[in-house]
């Protein structure tokens, strides 16, 4: 995928939009606005579901934090902790599965605690995210949700995580670190296979990925119909991989704009 600035969303071809089978979406500052999901975003989710378009959230948020959304939002599933945990409704039951086995999770938990301790000791101002109690497979340092870290501090956190042998990514609110080969892309392939019995690698062009931050770049690069909501431009200086398209509106309103584009394309058939 070329590293060029994105096109306006309305440049997405109608035929391509009409062929979309599913939407993979980040949550924070993509579906949500100021920490909450707004009525227009909820209605967009409902409308996509009613049109037969699968919607799956792929987030760096923890398993515990994601349970409510997997149960209550009109979405098909949530993949939490950057590809490590899937949450799927099975009738009235919420089924939770992990990318790593129990022994690996328990072994990694010790390393995660040690890495978190080192970050907090070495990086001035660093604090664990308030949702850390719900995390199973990673750690998260708050940089923009309830605490504020400058770019040099963020880079310091990343440096420590990498020195500890962790994978790390920066979302719009947190710096996440984890052990293991999973990421948002592997999580997307996993959930599409488990939930829909389909191979995402055979239908990249029939899925949209929408996000808002630097930790969405892997997905922007992979999906021919990748979309950024307008607040992605906040990270302009840090982006190396751009989405193909950009909404006019920010956050949940941008997601609703994307849903409207996809649904209008279907109605134009």
């Amino acid at each position: 995928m070329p590293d060029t600035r994105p096109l306006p969303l309305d440049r997405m071809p109608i035929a391509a939009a009409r062929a979309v089978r599913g939407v993979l979406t980040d949550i924070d500052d993509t579906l949500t606005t100021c920490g909450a999901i707004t009525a227009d975003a909820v209605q967009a989710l409902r409308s996509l579901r009613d049109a037969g378009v699968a919607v799956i959230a792929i987030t760096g948020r923890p398993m515990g934090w994601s349970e409510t959304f997997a149960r209550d939002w009109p979405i098909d599933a949530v993949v939490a902790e950057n590809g490590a945990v899937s949450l799927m409704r099975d009738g009235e039951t919420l089924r939770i599965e992990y990318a790593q086995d129990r022994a690996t999770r328990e072994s990694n938990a010790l390393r995660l605690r040690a890495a978190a301790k080192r970050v907090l000791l070495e990086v001035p101002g660093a604090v664990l995210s308030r949702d850390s109690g719900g995390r199973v497979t990673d750690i998260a340092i708050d940089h923009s949700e309830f605490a504020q870290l400058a770019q040099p501090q963020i880079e310091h956190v990343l440096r420590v995580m990498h020195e500890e042998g962790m994978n790390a990514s920066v979302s719009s609110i947190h710096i996440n670190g984890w052990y293991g080969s999973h990421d948002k892309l592997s999580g997307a392939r996993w959930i599409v296979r488990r939930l829909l019995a389909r191979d995402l690698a055979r239908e990249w062009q029939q899925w949209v990925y929408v996000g808002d931050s630097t930790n969405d770049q892997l997905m922007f690069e992979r999906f021919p119909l990748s979309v950024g909501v307008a607040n992605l431009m906040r990270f302009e200086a840090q982006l190396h991989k751009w989405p193909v398209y950009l909404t006019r509106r920010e956050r949940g309103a941008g997601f609703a704009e994307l849903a409207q584009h996809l649904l209008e394309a279907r109605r134009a058939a």
Side-chain angles (χ1 to χ4, degrees):
M1 197 78 58
D3 297 334
T4 56
R5 297 301 178 94
L7 301 168
L9 178 62
D10 59 15
R11 296 280 298 278
M12 182 187 291
I14 294 297
R18 185 185 302 138
V20 166
R21 302 181 70 172
V23 174
L24 301 163
T25 178
D26 178 57
I27 292 181
D28 285 294
D29 293 323
T30 300
L31 269 179
T32 63
T33 303
C34 298
I37 191 165
T38 52
D40 56 348
V42 172
Q43 184 55 53
L45 292 173
R46 288 198 185 104
S47 297
L48 289 168
R49 180 187 61 186
D50 292 346
V53 179
V55 182
I56 299 170
I58 313 284
T59 181
R61 286 286 195 171
M63 181 270 285
W65 185 91
S66 301
E67 286 188 66
T68 298
F69 307 122
R71 292 182 191 277
D72 298 342
W73 286 2
I75 57 179
D76 293 274
V78 177
V79 177
E81 300 187 24
N82 286 300
V85 188
S86 69
L87 303 95
M88 300 168 280
R89 284 193 302 274
D90 185 1
E92 296 299 314
T93 303
L94 187 65
R95 187 166 73 248
I96 299 174
E97 298 181 359
Y98 298 92
Q100 298 171 329
D101 61 33
R102 182 190 296 268
T104 300
R105 298 197 305 272
E106 291 175 352
S107 174
N108 285 344
L110 300 175
R111 302 170 70 196
L112 289 167
R113 286 196 291 271
K117 182 177 180 179
R118 183 181 167 194
V119 170
L120 299 181
L121 285 172
E122 294 188 17
V123 183
V127 295
L128 290 172
S129 63
R130 292 192 185 180
D131 64 9
S132 291
R135 293 186 176 276
V136 180
T137 64
D138 74 348
I139 61 172
I141 303 298
D142 191 339
H143 73 76
S144 289
E145 188 174 28
F146 300 104
Q148 296 293 320
L149 296 183
Q151 189 61 32
Q153 293 167 291
I154 293 173
E155 292 171 0
H156 192 175
V157 173
L158 288 170
R159 186 163 62 251
V160 172
M161 287 180 171
H162 289 148
E163 288 174 359
E164 289 292 317
M166 309 179 86
N167 292 305
S169 67
V170 183
S171 75
S172 61
I173 55 173
H174 296 158
I175 310 157
N176 297 90
W178 67 93
Y179 295 104
S181 59
H182 56 273
D183 53 30
K184 282 192 168 187
L185 184 57
S186 69
R189 294 189 65 174
W190 174 34
I191 194 66
V192 169
R193 183 173 62 252
R194 285 289 292 115
L195 186 68
L196 304 173
R198 302 211 304 261
D199 183 356
L200 187 58
R202 294 179 178 272
E203 48 189 59
W204 295 121
Q205 299 199 26
Q206 295 175 295
W207 286 76
V208 170
Y209 180 79
V210 54
D212 74 296
S213 187
T214 56
N215 72 332
D216 296 306
Q217 291 180 100
L218 176 66
M219 305 293 271
F220 291 157
E221 183 180 21
R222 176 64 270 183
F223 286 84
L225 297 180
S226 58
V227 177
V229 286
N231 46 294
L232 173 72
M233 299 307 294
R234 166 186 169 191
F235 297 99
E236 181 177 7
Q238 288 84 47
L239 284 169
H240 304 289
K241 304 293 182 182
W242 290 87
V244 180
Y245 303 101
L246 190 73
T247 65
R248 290 178 297 102
R249 303 178 72 183
E250 295 189 347
R251 299 177 171 83
F255 182 88
E257 180 184 335
L258 168 62
Q260 181 180 8
H261 184 77
L262 298 178
L263 294 168
E264 286 180 352
R266 287 177 164 244
R267 289 193 286 269

